[in-house]
Amino acid sequence: MSKKIAFVTGGTGGLGTSICRSLVDEGFTVVAGYYSGGKHEKAQAWQEAQRKDGYEIEIAYGDVTDADSCAKCVAAVEEKLGASIDVLVNNAGITRDGQFKKMSWEQWDEVLTANLDSMFHMTRLVINGMLDKGWGRVINISSVNAQKGQFGQCNYSAAKAGIHGFTKALAQEVARKGVTVNTVSPGYIKTEMVAKIAQDIQDKITSTIPVGRFGTPEEIGRLVAFVADEESSYITGADLSINGGLHMS
Ligand code: CAA
């Protein structure tokens, strides 16, 4: 039997890299979607670095904020691999933090477009293939800050909370066709995104995490691979928290 294909948006980034590697470990053929402002060399260097570590991962260029770019990307992947995508991990995301009283429309729009509109563009392109096959996994990466809100993140919290609404609605539409749709909501994980927060604020946040530390990308990768697994077909419409106890619901 040929291997199932998993596509991870933002696959070359902090969380994305670990998600890709975990899915390779689980036996998927993995494609890392990247944008990087069109810096293809950066993605090629990333691919080479993964290869040196024993991970063979395809890379595919696409802008998740742009429907046409997504369509070209998915078509190219499916043509190259000769099959449709079985697992979609909607992981690409950005922050533009700032207090709402000072927030610009651009800060709002960029975050909503990259983090939420991307769900529409990418999922719309793969869902019918999954339904036709009678098997699929859509895994949407949200955030603890969708669940609890966060000072300075009205845009990000809104987009990430919207993701889970999308998850719950779509999960109901496709449940009988063997397709599961879930949200994974990480807390503060050691990535470049979190490293951008001022150190004194990072220290304050750490002091509020019961486990006493930020999470690792590998911990998120393991959970995503678990949800993608063949045996996880009874998990759907769920919001799986992985946040060191920062928010308990
Ligand atoms: N709650 C209440 N008040 C707060 C606060 C909080 N959490 N944080 C700051 N304030 C207060 C400050 O005490 C200060 O009050 P005074 O003016 O009375 O002194 C006021 O708000 C202004 O604070 P700042 O100087 O920090 O404001 P700023 O505008 O320079 O910075 C900010 C705002 C950039 C949003 C900064 O607070 C910040 O970086 N916060 C962290 C945001 C965050 O957690 N982002 C997560 C990014 S990672 C990610 O998103 C991944 C994921 O999914 C988890």
Side-chain angles (χ1 to χ4, degrees):
M1 203 178 77
S2 64
K3 296 201 306 185
K4 287 192 163 72
I5 301 168
F7 187 100
V8 182
T9 69
T12 62
L15 287 187
T17 301
S18 285
I19 293 170
C20 286
R21 285 175 170 235
S22 294
L23 290 168
V24 170
D25 289 339
E26 285 299 306
F28 291 97
T29 294
V30 178
V31 184
Y34 72 93
Y35 174 56
S36 307
K39 288 183 202 130
H40 304 292
E41 310 73 34
K42 202 174 152 196
Q44 284 154 4
W46 175 91
Q47 185 182 36
E48 199 45 49
Q50 304 314 308
R51 192 168 282 142
K52 280 199 182 120
D53 286 348
Y55 285 89
E56 198 55 51
I57 302 172
E58 299 279 338
I59 53 173
Y61 172 78
D63 176 355
V64 293
T65 70
D66 179 316
D68 288 343
S69 177
C70 291
K72 281 188 195 131
C73 176
V74 170
V77 166
E78 295 190 339
E79 194 186 327
K80 180 164 186 205
L81 299 179
S84 61
I85 290 164
D86 301 284
V87 177
L88 172 66
V89 184
N90 281 311
N91 163 68
I94 60 167
T95 53
R96 296 285 182 267
D97 292 356
Q99 292 183 63
F100 186 69
K101 65 183 181 185
K102 294 188 264 182
M103 188 174 283
S104 66
W105 167 253
E106 286 71 27
Q107 275 173 291
W108 172 270
D109 190 44
E110 279 174 29
V111 168
L112 269 288
T113 306
N115 295 10
L116 190 56
D117 291 0
S118 56
M119 299 282 135
F120 177 85
H121 298 317
M122 287 303 297
T123 313
R124 187 69 184 78
L125 289 164
V126 302
I127 198 73
N128 285 322
M130 293 179 183
L131 293 171
D132 289 347
K133 280 191 209 168
W135 197 95
R137 300 275 184 267
V138 178
I139 304 168
N140 301 321
I141 306 300
S142 179
S143 166
V144 66
N145 292 342
Q147 299 167 319
K148 71 169 189 57
Q150 169 60 37
F151 184 100
Q153 288 201 306
C154 284
N155 48 3
Y156 187 83
S157 297
K160 291 292 194 180
I163 287 175
H164 191 53
F166 170 71
T167 290
K168 289 188 286 186
L170 184 60
Q172 292 177 34
E173 293 184 16
V174 298
R176 282 174 196 262
K177 299 281 184 182
V179 180
T180 68
V181 188
N182 288 288
T183 302
V184 168
S185 289
Y188 284 78
I189 310 300
K190 281 185 203 150
T191 60
E192 266 179 44
M193 186 184 266
V194 167
K196 276 195 258 168
I197 306 169
Q199 190 57 51
D200 58 326
I201 297 179
Q202 284 193 45
D203 295 344
K204 264 191 218 154
I205 292 168
T206 307
S207 72
T208 65
I209 301 172
V211 167
R213 63 170 175 84
F214 286 173
T216 66
E218 290 73 22
E219 288 169 318
I220 307 306
R222 282 185 61 230
L223 179 56
V224 171
F226 177 80
V227 177
D229 195 87
E230 189 80 47
E231 303 292 316
S232 297
S233 59
Y234 208 58
I235 304 174
T236 198
D239 186 0
L240 299 151
S241 298
I242 175 162
N243 62 37
L246 175 57
H247 180 72
M248 303 182 186
S249 54

